[in-house]
Amino acid sequence: MRSEIGNDIFKSVEILNRGGIVAIPTETVYGLAANGLDATAVAKIFEAKNRPFFDPLILHIAHSDALNQIVSNVPQKAKILMDHFWPGPLTFVLPKSDLVPDLVTSGHPTVAVRMPNHPIALELLSKLTYPLAAPSANPFGYVSPTNAQHVQDQLGNKIDYILDGGSCCVGIESTIISFENNPTILRLGGITQEAIEGIIGPVNVSLNEHSNPKAPGQLDQHYSPYCKLKDLKHDQLEPHSNVLFYSPQTEEKYWGENPRIQCNVMYLTNNNASIEAAANLFSVLRDFDQKGLTEVYIEFAENEGLGLAINDRLKRAMAKRD
Ligand code: AMP
Ligand code: MG
């Protein structure tokens, strides 16, 4: 059995109001949403995704007014960033209010919150009286979904409805910044560190510990297709190797003066553009499995701007499965 894909916002509202789960479009990736103030509804997300309880969820809102319900304090610098980047792919970790269930925050005294920049997500949220808890709508550890069909392929029989909003334009998850102490980026994503620092000045970056301080490194492997991914080094390719080059331009550089070998070549971006590369990333990884590839060499992006977030996802996708 497969869940229905459709455009019915009222049906989505009705399902969410009775404690069900609905996959929703956002500009980053598709989310698996439930009433973020109802622990029983939120538990269904963990069940459908097979997500461990130590991994907290992000709450989604449509208006800044909704913040008062879920956080106890918004520091000035956080407010400035919200004014600048919301709606958009920037998530804030702030002290939580008593209304937010521990299941949402994995028992942390802080909660993650953002305002997605997607007209359908915003319309849906504006018809609700509560925020939506929504992690990516994929089985835990697998590639995140960037269209409705991806969701159906993976979780189709486990959810109540899939609200279709087309393909996600950012394609990688939100950047997460914590204001628990000094502003600290916990996850690289759709908004770059430079863009944030351009508004509020220098911030700290702490990329791994946040996933689960009690079990460090457990989430090193994430966003992974079943296909084995290998870091592309020079002179590594053989005839018929599968290779994902960043772009045709970087492929040129790879070969240099050397004769080309006939490989199965794929690109993350045809135009050497990091926005396009980010938007394509998860679809391209997913295609490896769909094509039945067992091994692909991967060329990383330049370590700057969005390339940092892309490389973070690629490294986690590459990390060995047990
Ligand atoms: P997603 O991967 O989009 O489901 O976003 C959820 C991620 O947000 C989690 O895996 C954490 O890395 C991060 N997160 C959510 N809430 C918190 C929190 N209270 N403190 C630190 N990180 C958090
Ligand atoms: Mg995820």
Side-chain angles (χ1 to χ4, degrees), residues 49 51 135-136 138 144 173 187 222-223:
K49 273 185 66 94
R51 182 175 171 117
S136 50
N138 54 295
S144 302
E173 292 80 355
R187 176 172 78 184
H222 211 85
Y223 312 111

Side-chain angles (χ1 to χ4, degrees), residues 108-131:
H108 291 293
T110 51
V111 62
V113 56
R114 86 174 186 102
M115 191 187 292
N117 188 14
H118 193 291
I120 292 175
L122 290 171
E123 190 183 342
L124 173 65
L125 284 163
S126 68
K127 296 189 187 320
L128 305 172
T129 55
Y130 45 81

Side-chain angles (χ1 to χ4, degrees), residues 29 49 51 55-58 91 93-94 104-105 108 110-112 134-136 173-174 176 180 186-187 210-211 219 222-223:
V29 302
K49 273 185 66 94
R51 182 175 171 117
D55 201 11
L57 306 180
I58 296 173
T91 296
V93 172
L94 297 167
V104 168
T105 69
H108 291 293
T110 51
V111 62
S136 50
E173 292 80 355
S174 59
I176 301 178
E180 200 176 358
L186 302 181
R187 176 172 78 184
H210 72 290
S211 311
L219 297 186
H222 211 85
Y223 312 111

Side-chain angles (χ1 to χ4, degrees), residues 127-160:
K127 296 189 187 320
L128 305 172
T129 55
Y130 45 81
L132 286 176
S136 50
N138 54 295
F140 184 70
Y142 193 72
V143 184
S144 302
T146 50
N147 66 40
Q149 191 59 50
H150 294 161
V151 180
Q152 194 185 53
D153 289 346
Q154 290 176 331
L155 293 173
N157 58 353
K158 294 195 180 155
I159 55 185
D160 298 315

